[in-house]
Amino acid sequence: MYVVCQKTSFSTFQCMKFLQKEAKGYKIDIRNSEAERRAAMSQQWIVREAYLNKLIALKDKQLIKVITGVRRSGKSTLLEIFQEYLVGHGIEREQIISINFEDYEYRYLRNPDQLYQYIKERLSENSYTYIFLDEIQHVDNFQEVVDGLYIKKNVDIYITGSNANMLSGELATLLSGRYVEISILPLSFKEYAENVTDNKTLMQKYNDYITYGSFPYVLELEKNPGEVQDYIEGIFVKKSMRSKGIG
């Protein structure tokens, strides 16, 4: 299996460097032509090693890993990177169940009974199954589904949610002593500065950082301030609407 790293992208070079060090099952392939790069890679990852190392340390521990954070802070990407890490360390793809509940393809699995049955039918009998449930707050009574899966043998569960109240009330009570929370923040200035591709001074990077914010996707829009502003406003408008029960 190949991880494709782009020479001109520092963030992808970070990915390559990390995988060379950690994922010994990978072959590193540096593509030179733009056509090759685009064909081989649909997105570029910023490897947030501090959070990734936490997941690696907690792998196979009898704890539900609950990853929380504001929308677009990088929770889904972190799960994708960790899944690739698992495959690079000998875990078969068939041992990984990954569901993003914001993907319309999985809308029917927002029903808790259907979700439980779907996962139960795919559990490995003689090896660990790694279960990733992204934006699980969309599932009614998801707490009971997670609790039911937790008591199965050889399961390792990772869930994410953008809802600030996800760990309050019933979840905290039902799963007390069974979970560990990893709270993800947007990019630190160090992470932001290391991944800006333009040849800017540190002060210019800092000015951009405090002007446009620290959400990871901002780096993809850094050459267009108008798009950055619209993107940031969209995040907070949606957050405000959801807090008021509108969206």
Side-chain angles (χ1 to χ4, degrees):
M1 179 177 179
Y2 284 86
V3 170
V4 182
C5 295
Q6 181 176 339
K7 281 183 176 178
T8 57
S9 169
F10 190 82
S11 61
T12 310
F13 177 71
Q14 253 193 332
C15 175
M16 182 187 75
K17 187 168 63 173
F18 179 83
L19 289 170
Q20 283 177 323
K21 180 176 66 174
E22 294 292 336
K24 296 179 176 60
Y26 284 85
K27 298 177 182 178
I28 306 300
D29 179 19
I30 302 177
R31 302 295 175 97
N32 291 304
S33 74
E34 185 65 23
E36 284 179 313
R37 285 195 290 262
R38 288 182 178 179
M41 198 171 183
S42 61
Q43 65 176 6
Q44 297 173 16
W45 286 330
I46 298 174
V47 178
R48 308 189 67 186
E49 293 190 35
Y51 297 120
L52 183 57
N53 286 336
K54 287 182 180 181
L55 293 184
I56 292 171
L58 291 167
K59 174 180 172 289
D60 297 339
K61 300 293 193 298
Q62 286 296 98
L63 289 168
I64 300 162
K65 276 62 79 171
V66 181
I67 303 164
T68 59
V70 67
R71 289 180 60 81
R72 308 308 176 198
S73 58
K75 301 184 299 297
S76 299
T77 301
L78 177 64
L79 291 189
E80 290 178 27
I81 294 173
F82 183 58
Q83 289 169 41
E84 294 304 318
Y85 170 88
L86 292 176
V87 173
H89 281 72
I91 302 301
E92 299 294 332
R93 292 259 179 213
E94 291 74 19
Q95 292 176 248
I96 298 174
I97 301 171
S98 181
I99 302 169
N100 184 334
F101 294 102
E102 292 193 332
D103 186 338
Y104 195 84
E105 182 177 352
Y106 297 115
R107 187 177 181 85
Y108 72 101
L109 292 179
R110 293 185 181 186
N111 176 287
D113 294 332
Q114 288 185 272
L115 174 61
Y116 180 80
Q117 191 63 32
Y118 176 91
I119 294 175
K120 182 181 176 183
E121 291 172 355
R122 289 163 175 77
L123 295 178
S124 301
E125 293 185 6
N126 302 314
S127 57
Y128 261 88
T129 301
Y130 298 86
I131 302 170
F132 297 88
L133 305 175
D134 197 5
E135 300 294 355
I136 197 172
Q137 74 274 3
H138 292 296
V139 179
D140 295 331
N141 300 318
F142 71 86
Q143 302 92 336
E144 295 180 6
V145 177
V146 172
D147 189 46
L149 294 170
Y150 174 82
I151 63 177
K152 300 290 185 184
K153 291 183 179 180
N154 297 329
V155 298
D156 197 8
I157 303 173
Y158 302 78
I159 67 176
T160 80
S162 301
N163 191 331
N165 298 317
M166 196 177 80
L167 284 177
S168 64
E170 187 178 350
L171 178 62
T173 301
L174 191 62
L175 303 182
S176 178
R178 300 184 178 187
Y179 74 87
V180 58
E181 180 183 7
I182 299 173
S183 181
I184 291 189
L185 299 173
L187 299 177
S188 67
F189 176 62
K190 180 178 183 293
E191 290 173 317
Y192 180 91
E194 287 178 345
N195 287 279
V196 172
T197 56
D198 287 349
N199 187 24
K200 295 181 177 180
T201 67
L202 193 62
M203 183 55 69
Q204 287 173 323
K205 292 178 182 180
Y206 180 72
N207 287 335
D208 288 345
Y209 180 77
I210 62 175
T211 300
Y212 302 122
S214 55
F215 289 95
Y217 193 67
V218 166
L219 291 170
E220 300 292 324
L221 306 173
E222 60 185 336
K223 293 183 176 67
N224 193 321
E227 289 183 356
V228 172
Q229 183 174 350
D230 291 343
Y231 175 72
I232 298 298
E233 287 179 357
I235 292 174
F236 287 102
V237 166
K238 189 158 189 176
K239 179 177 174 60
S240 177
M241 290 174 64
R242 286 192 171 183
S243 68
K244 296 176 182 177
I246 300 173

